[in-house]
Amino acid sequence: MAVQSNGNSELFTCKIPDIKFTKLFINGKFVDSISGKILATKDPRTGEVIARVAEGNKEDVDLAVKVAREAFNHGPWPRLSGCARGKIMMKLADLVDKHAEELAALDTIDSGKLFYFGKSIEIPQAANTLRYYAGAADKIHGQTLKMSSQHQAYTLWEPIGVVGHIIPWNFPCTMFFTKVAPALAAGCTMVVKPAEQTPLSALYCAHLAKLAGVPDGVLNVITGFGPTAGAAISSHMDIDKVSFTGSTEVGRLIMQAAATSNLKQLTLELGGKSPLIIFDDADVDKAADLALFGICFNKGEVCVAGSRVLVQEGIYEEFKKKLAEKAKKWVVGDPFNPAVHQGPQVDENQFNKILSYIKHGKREGATLLAGGKPCGRKGYYIEPTIFTDVTDDMLIAREEIFGPVMSLMKFKTTEEAIARGNATKYGLAAGIVTKDLNVANTVSRSIRAGVIWLNCYFVLGDDCPYGGYKMSGFGRELGTEALHAYLQLKSVVTPIYNSPWF
Ligand code: NAD
């Protein structure tokens, strides 16, 4: 059985900051929602309410879009030099670093993420994302083109306009800056809707943006629910682009809303059911560590989680034994405790959804190698769970569980690994573990996914684009590709000689 350290014992409360910001952030001010409604955000360690924040609705989104439009059409932000925008973004990055502890603590009490990981890695990384795009803000250049007629053209990359960012709860602060940073660098103005489960760090970041000098109206935050505030963004006639991360189901709704409103542009980063393929020549011990981390990091609430682990038959039994031993040593408990590897699932819904998948797996005939149960007297803790005897057609092998639940499977040949790796409607990521260059090349080119990790997993960086194939969505985040997702291309054509008009 997986080790459960202290999901049920004393809570680590010393790091919890005061919650200073609970209202909508519109035009540089914190304001109540027009309806006066509020929503409760809960601590997944206990299920208790930690704060009540304003619940934004369509009217609040309308107001935020109006000020964002004004800031785009007449305000300074799109008209500043890239260098000046970059300077403000650098200042914001420094403020994020300075407040890393508070931001990490807010994400921990809101979502159950590991505090120490947030403070030392995720939040500093979010600050670096700002720096990456701050550096790119003055490098937005078009081309000069000699046309085949007696004309020349030049191209201009212009900011796309008012952007809506709809973000999920699994990486609240990281996602906020993954979307906001390139949009700011491009000169866009925006309305951000954090997930209803995790509104706190987004409001705090809005406050830091104001301190850094981001002009009023450029960055607005509407906390609220998906079907109301989120849907008001995706169907808004005056929003030029929506960038969404979340479920494939909601991604489809957003695409429908875009199609039936103003044909706004979209970036959709959706679900995944990523394979981690481990070949016979792998170091079994290291591969087992990678596989466990690949599914349990951030309690499996990761769109690129390696939820299908395919192991070649020659090492399968040894791998299985090691994996079971390692799962026993994996510590589930209070995410403020530095000795803990895995905190609680984000909320009761997600907790129940994961447990129902586990039940389904057992009913379908898969065998539990490890875990399978909730743990702790309160809160939403689940043991690291590993199923064997899983067939590709089982629900647990097909659907995104978004929890610490792995399907471990055996394969014989490279061809079989490729076919089964691709046997999913998703295509977000895949991992390959092998020392054989030919196998690595063949498999990485054959798997239909947006990111392939060779002999590593979960390695994301600002300079490396990231996004989905198939039903995992389209468009790319991070890298210069993400900056271009917030720009549009204009061609300006002129005669070379002072002669004909055509
Ligand atoms: P979701 O897709 O419902 O929520 C993501 C965001 O979309 C939230 O901000 C939410 O308020 C908003 N949203 C919801 N309905 C909307 C609508 N009709 N119009 C516009 N915006 C809307 O995700 P969830 O319900 O929180 O989780 C369900 C499943 O989604 C999870 O179990 C997991 O499989 C998947 N998920 C994936 C990711 C990812 O990173 N790819 C992140 C979160 C959840």
Side-chain angles (χ1 to χ4, degrees):
M1 197 198 85
V3 174
Q4 187 271 316
S5 76
N6 50 13
N8 58 351
S9 68
E10 231 176 274
L11 293 179
F12 284 69
T13 49
C14 52
K15 301 283 182 192
I16 296 177
D18 290 342
I19 293 164
K20 298 176 192 142
F21 309 107
T22 57
K23 295 184 176 188
L24 311 179
F25 187 75
I26 301 177
N27 209 16
K29 290 180 193 66
F30 284 100
V31 296
D32 290 317
S33 61
I34 293 171
S35 68
K37 281 189 178 172
I38 45 173
L39 67 86
T41 179
K42 293 181 182 168
D43 184 341
R45 299 177 304 158
T46 59
E48 285 160 16
V49 173
I50 30 175
R52 294 178 204 281
V53 306
E55 183 193 327
N57 272 306
K58 184 179 178 308
E59 308 78 62
D60 306 287
V61 168
D62 286 344
L63 189 60
V65 174
K66 200 169 163 208
V67 302
R69 173 58 61 194
E70 176 63 22
F72 186 76
N73 286 355
H74 305 292
W77 192 251
R79 288 156 197 88
L80 283 178
S81 67
C83 175
R85 280 202 300 275
K87 262 189 181 168
I88 293 172
M89 291 174 66
M90 288 286 189
K91 206 165 161 197
L92 177 53
D94 290 344
L95 286 169
V96 170
D97 272 338
K98 192 171 159 200
H99 296 272
E101 183 155 325
E102 272 165 290
L103 286 167
L106 289 176
D107 276 358
T108 298
I109 50 169
D110 243 0
S111 75
K113 299 175 75 64
L114 296 183
F115 169 70
Y116 290 93
F117 190 83
K119 183 184 158 190
S120 58
I121 297 182
E122 276 185 43
I123 305 297
Q125 180 51 43
N128 284 341
T129 301
L130 273 162
R131 294 190 181 98
Y132 177 85
Y133 289 106
D138 60 358
K139 294 167 194 71
I140 298 171
H141 306 302
Q143 286 179 305
T144 309
L145 308 164
K146 165 77 180 77
M147 297 172 71
S148 45
S149 58
Q150 293 300 314
H151 294 75
Q152 64 181 357
Y154 61 90
T155 57
L156 295 171
W157 283 106
E158 298 187 330
I160 213 160
V162 177
V163 175
H165 300 295
I166 302 177
I167 59 182
W169 39 259
N170 51 344
F171 290 90
C173 201
T174 306
M175 277 290 157
F176 182 93
F177 286 115
T178 298
K179 293 185 185 304
V180 164
L184 283 176
C188 292
T189 62
M190 62 210 74
V191 179
V192 184
K193 196 203 83 62
E196 48 272 39
Q197 296 87 342
T198 55
L200 300 177
S201 59
L203 295 171
Y204 199 105
C205 291
H207 155 72
L208 296 182
K210 170 128 181 155
L211 286 184
V214 174
D216 292 351
V218 171
L219 172 60
N220 305 279
V221 177
I222 301 289
T223 48
F225 291 100
T228 49
I233 289 174
S234 52
S235 61
H236 206 289
M237 289 300 287
D238 207 21
I239 288 185
D240 301 296
K241 177 187 173 112
V242 164
S243 173
F244 167 77
T245 301
S247 59
T248 297
E249 189 192 352
V250 173
R252 198 190 288 278
L253 293 177
I254 287 174
M255 211 162 160
Q256 281 165 353
T260 52
S261 57
N262 61 344
L263 296 176
K264 57 181 65 65
Q265 295 194 32
L266 297 177
T267 294
L268 299 181
E269 205 265 88
L270 309 176
K273 193 73 190 173
S274 301
L276 170 60
I277 305 170
I278 300 168
F279 286 87
D280 274 346
D281 62 349
D283 176 321
V284 178
D285 194 63
K286 280 191 189 161
D289 278 332
L290 195 70
L292 190 64
F293 183 67
I295 189 62
C296 290
F297 169 61
N298 207 51
K299 347 119 195 193
E301 292 172 350
V302 189
C303 48
V304 289
S307 48
R308 294 184 298 140
V309 176
L310 294 141
V311 179
Q312 203 162 14
E313 58 183 357
I315 57 165
Y316 179 82
E317 289 304 326
E318 188 192 348
F319 180 93
K320 187 168 106 176
K321 194 164 154 263
K322 284 207 184 257
L323 191 62
E325 284 163 10
K326 287 175 191 291
K328 271 190 203 154
K329 293 186 188 141
W330 187 262
V331 184
V332 182
D334 191 314
F336 279 101
N337 179 349
V340 157
H341 299 128
Q342 181 187 315
Q345 307 308 137
V346 70
D347 65 7
E348 196 175 3
N349 273 348
Q350 197 59 24
F351 176 77
N352 288 334
K353 183 179 160 192
I354 296 164
L355 292 177
S356 88
Y357 273 114
I358 293 174
K359 225 189 245 172
H360 214 96
K362 289 196 261 185
R363 221 181 301 131
E364 280 182 308
T367 307
L368 268 177
L369 177 70
K373 294 193 300 298
C375 46
R377 270 176 299 165
K378 55 183 171 181
Y380 308 124
Y381 297 89
I382 297 181
E383 294 174 337
T385 299
I386 301 164
F387 276 111
T388 58
D389 302 318
V390 181
T391 54
D392 294 338
D393 58 341
M394 286 182 184
L395 199 73
I396 54 167
R398 286 187 288 118
E399 294 197 358
E400 182 177 50
I401 299 175
F402 228 62
V405 183
M406 178 197 295
S407 292
L408 178 61
M409 300 184 269
K410 183 160 54 174
F411 72 91
K412 282 191 168 73
T413 64
T414 303
E415 294 68 34
E416 182 191 346
I418 292 169
R420 293 177 65 192
N422 279 329
T424 168
K425 62 185 177 188
Y426 295 115
L428 203 49
I432 303 164
V433 181
T434 180
K435 298 184 187 89
D436 186 325
L437 194 57
N438 289 329
V439 171
N441 286 338
T442 305
V443 181
S444 56
R445 282 158 192 267
S446 307
I447 294 288
R448 296 189 62 215
V451 184
I452 307 286
W453 285 301
L454 272 177
N455 298 320
C456 60
Y457 209 80
F458 282 142
V459 185
L460 296 167
D462 297 322
D463 26 26
C464 184
Y466 153 78
Y469 278 32
K470 304 196 286 187
M471 286 176 75
S472 292
F474 50 79
R476 293 293 175 266
E477 302 211 283
L478 302 177
T480 51
E481 283 76 4
L483 179 65
H484 282 92
Y486 296 101
L487 295 165
Q488 56 193 341
L489 192 63
K490 179 182 278 177
S491 298
V492 181
V493 181
T494 178
I496 296 175
Y497 306 107
N498 191 15
S499 50
W501 289 99
F502 50 85

